[in-house]
Amino acid sequence: MGRITEDLIRRNAEHNDCVIFSLEELSLHQQEIERLEHIDTWCRDLKILYLQNNLIGKIENVGKLKKLEYLNLALNNIEKIENLEGCEWLTKLDLTVNFIGELSSIKTLKHNIHLKELFLMGNPCADFDGYRQFVVATLQQLKWLDGKEIERSERIQALQNFPVIEQQIREQEKAYCLKRAKDKEEAQRNLREEEENEAKGRSYPSFEGQSPFSVESNCHVQAPEGQEGECNQKKSKDSEDDLEFWNKPSLFTPESRLETLRHMEKQRKDQEKLSEKKKKVKPPRILITKDGKALNVNDPKLDFSLKDDDKHNQIILDLAVYRYMDTSLIDVDVQPTYVRVMVKGKVDGVITGWRRTSKSEKSTSDSSRERPNQRSKEIEKLEVDPSKYSFPDVANIVQEKKHRPRRIQSEPKITASEEDPDFEDNPEVPPLI
């Protein structure tokens, strides 16, 4: 069952930037709320409050909402009008289709002097004889009752007949309260019986050592021999019980509404458990086979293209990732036979294995052969005489300058006597080198 929480209010306060202390309008309809709480503490500035179609059984914790003008509590389990004296500016109150049988409880609304509209149709009190006249005479500030305008003549007549009408209303209230007490006793007895039946149904003598959930699991996964029939019987029994519940006549009481809702909630939970058990556990993703072959995988459904550029002897992987995504969330692993891309830290990514065609393999082998030859040529190019090439080579020029002193040192020395026979060597003159 639902409860009023701060998170629930914030989620329904998007129009106010999720700020709740200054909230003026709040809608909490169809939330299966059983108790009215916290609102008068967290949302003091509320002017409009929608709480229709819930399971609220009592009007409470709204007395501090001084600015509240419209309160909608239609389709709930309210049996009495109370605790609204503090809502000083309450103008409209909707209590359509509740379980209000104490019509005299409307006297508490006399303090709400600004109340102009009241809706009580669909309540047991609306079937009382003299209902409208009693309300019109009791709440003289009202202008509209159940969507119908109150005429001045109608109010005068209601005030004149008020003593008689009030006596009639008290008698009908007393009869309704006795009937209501019997309904409560019967509802409690049915609830106890249902709980006992559920407690008995939880024991499975034919499945010793197993829980009911494990029995269901066996039914849907792999039922042992002899148990499949019993599982089918259990299914048929559940469907029969469900059909019997919906065909069973029930009274229009707060307890019947709660019983119906709990039955639906139980069915929903059982269905969720069943669907969870039916879900097959996904085996771990095989990215690379045992023989080392990479598989093509694209779990994130990302668009990508793989191009083989023979001209530049390269393979281009173009992967389209999410816009504005941080590059730190992308991990790329490039291997000789495959490329693995991990996006947002997930194992599932784009894994691409490729195999070149015969033409590409040929071009790859040719290019691989040409590369060493080019390297060898480049190495020889630095050692040969640069004059053999028509274009200048800076590397060779630098190399020449680098080796020129060595060549000078390695040349044989030429003596003076060999150059000129008339040359006389004077020992007092130091050598030039």
Side-chain angles (χ1 to χ4, degrees):
M1 300 297 178
R3 292 192 62 183
I4 297 177
T5 61
E6 184 177 347
D7 181 62
L8 178 64
I9 296 177
R10 288 192 187 280
R11 280 190 279 110
N12 288 274
E14 295 179 354
H15 58 284
N16 199 44
D17 297 330
C18 297
V19 179
I20 64 175
F21 74 91
S22 61
L23 199 61
E24 294 186 354
E25 182 177 343
L26 178 61
S27 179
L28 297 176
H29 62 283
Q30 294 182 344
Q31 298 290 337
E32 299 181 3
I33 299 170
E34 288 192 71
R35 187 182 176 190
L36 191 53
E37 55 187 349
H38 303 308
I39 293 179
D40 61 341
T41 305
W42 296 340
C43 311
R44 292 286 185 90
D45 293 338
L46 273 182
K47 293 182 178 180
I48 301 174
L49 179 57
Y50 297 99
L51 290 165
Q52 66 269 26
N53 202 359
N54 282 293
L55 299 169
I56 300 171
K58 184 179 180 180
I59 303 175
E60 57 184 345
N61 298 319
V62 292
K64 297 178 182 178
L65 302 177
K66 305 295 182 181
K67 301 179 183 179
L68 188 65
E69 299 176 4
Y70 176 35
L71 177 60
N72 192 332
L73 284 166
L75 292 165
N76 279 280
N77 293 344
I78 297 169
E79 298 187 62
K80 185 180 179 181
I81 302 174
E82 56 187 342
N83 300 323
L84 289 172
E85 295 85 356
C87 303
E88 298 174 357
W89 285 96
L90 187 63
T91 306
K92 183 177 179 180
L93 177 61
D94 193 345
L95 294 169
T96 306
V97 190
N98 276 275
F99 299 93
I100 299 173
E102 297 183 31
L103 186 57
S104 58
S105 63
I106 64 169
K107 293 180 180 180
T108 59
L109 297 176
K110 287 182 178 181
H111 303 280
N112 304 99
I113 58 176
H114 298 286
L115 185 64
K116 304 300 178 186
E117 294 183 66
L118 177 64
F119 292 87
L120 288 173
M121 64 181 72
N123 287 274
C125 65
D127 297 329
F128 292 173
D129 293 335
Y131 148 74
R132 184 176 177 87
Q133 291 178 327
F134 180 81
V135 176
V136 170
T138 303
L139 303 177
Q140 299 185 27
Q141 74 272 31
L142 279 184
K143 301 295 182 184
W144 297 78
L145 177 61
D146 295 333
K148 184 179 178 182
E149 187 177 4
I150 301 172
E151 301 290 341
R152 186 168 179 268
S153 58
E154 182 183 5
R155 175 163 280 118
I156 293 172
Q157 186 178 0
L159 289 170
Q160 290 175 351
N161 300 328
F162 183 72
V164 179
I165 295 171
E166 186 178 15
Q167 184 64 29
Q168 291 178 356
I169 294 297
R170 285 180 179 176
E171 293 176 358
Q172 295 176 79
E173 277 185 353
K174 186 177 180 181
Y176 174 79
C177 289
L178 292 173
K179 180 178 178 296
R180 182 77 186 95
K182 292 180 181 178
D183 292 341
K184 285 182 179 180
E185 290 179 2
E186 184 179 355
Q188 290 176 359
R189 185 173 61 253
N190 293 335
L191 183 60
R192 284 195 300 269
E193 291 177 358
E194 185 178 352
E195 289 176 353
E196 290 175 0
N197 293 333
E198 286 182 359
K200 291 179 181 179
R202 285 172 190 162
S203 60
Y204 291 83
S206 59
F207 299 99
E208 293 181 0
Q210 296 183 9
S211 65
F213 302 116
S214 63
V215 173
E216 290 182 7
S217 177
N218 289 335
C219 294
H220 297 286
V221 180
Q222 186 177 3
E225 294 183 2
Q227 294 184 4
E228 185 176 356
E230 295 182 12
C231 291
N232 294 332
Q233 288 178 5
K234 184 178 182 300
K235 282 184 189 177
S236 60
K237 187 177 183 302
D238 292 340
S239 60
E240 288 176 2
D241 292 342
D242 183 58
L243 188 62
E244 182 183 355
F245 176 83
W246 291 112
N247 290 334
K248 182 178 64 175
S250 61
L251 301 173
F252 182 64
T253 59
E255 290 78 16
S256 64
R257 282 197 69 196
L258 290 172
E259 184 183 4
T260 303
L261 190 66
R262 289 192 175 98
H263 180 78
M264 294 173 63
E265 187 178 4
K266 180 184 174 183
Q267 279 188 323
R268 179 178 57 81
K269 288 182 178 179
D270 292 343
Q271 191 65 28
E272 287 177 358
K273 290 177 182 178
L274 191 61
S275 61
E276 286 177 3
K277 288 167 186 176
K278 282 185 176 181
K279 287 180 183 177
K280 295 181 179 179
V281 179
K282 290 185 178 180
R285 173 68 69 180
I286 299 175
L287 306 178
I288 300 175
T289 59
K290 293 181 179 179
D291 55 354
K293 180 182 178 182
L295 302 178
N296 289 329
V297 180
N298 188 7
D299 280 348
K301 310 299 181 186
L302 298 174
D303 294 332
F304 73 96
S305 62
L306 187 67
K307 298 179 182 178
D308 192 354
D309 190 356
D310 292 335
K311 184 177 179 181
H312 299 89
N313 191 32
Q314 60 184 1
I315 294 175
I316 302 173
L317 174 62
D318 187 5
L319 175 65
V321 296
Y322 308 107
R323 184 178 291 181
Y324 308 126
M325 189 175 69
D326 194 347
T327 54
S328 63
L329 301 176
I330 304 174
D331 184 21
V332 182
D333 181 18
V334 181
Q335 298 294 334
T337 56
Y338 68 88
V339 173
R340 178 178 179 178
V341 181
M342 295 177 64
V343 180
K344 291 187 176 180
K346 296 180 180 178
V347 177
D348 51 359
V350 179
I351 297 179
T352 309
W354 64 82
R355 188 179 287 178
R356 290 186 179 270
T357 58
S358 58
K359 183 178 179 181
S360 61
E361 286 177 359
K362 186 177 179 182
S363 61
T364 307
S365 60
D366 293 342
S367 62
S368 61
R369 289 175 185 172
E370 289 174 4
R371 284 183 179 178
N373 294 335
Q374 290 177 0
R375 258 193 224 111
S376 61
K377 286 180 181 178
E378 289 175 359
I379 294 169
E380 291 175 359
K381 189 175 182 181
L382 295 174
E383 295 177 356
V384 297
D385 189 0
S387 61
K388 293 182 180 180
Y389 294 89
S390 59
F391 56 90
D393 191 349
V394 178
N396 288 340
I397 293 172
V398 175
Q399 195 76 0
E400 277 185 11
K401 291 180 179 179
K402 194 173 183 181
H403 289 287
R404 187 170 294 169
R406 294 181 182 177
R407 291 180 182 176
I408 292 171
Q409 292 175 2
S410 60
E411 288 179 357
K413 292 183 180 181
I414 301 173
T415 58
S417 59
E418 293 176 356
E419 266 186 24
D420 190 2
D422 297 333
F423 177 76
E424 292 182 3
D425 189 8
N426 189 353
E428 294 181 0
V429 178
L432 297 176
I433 299 174

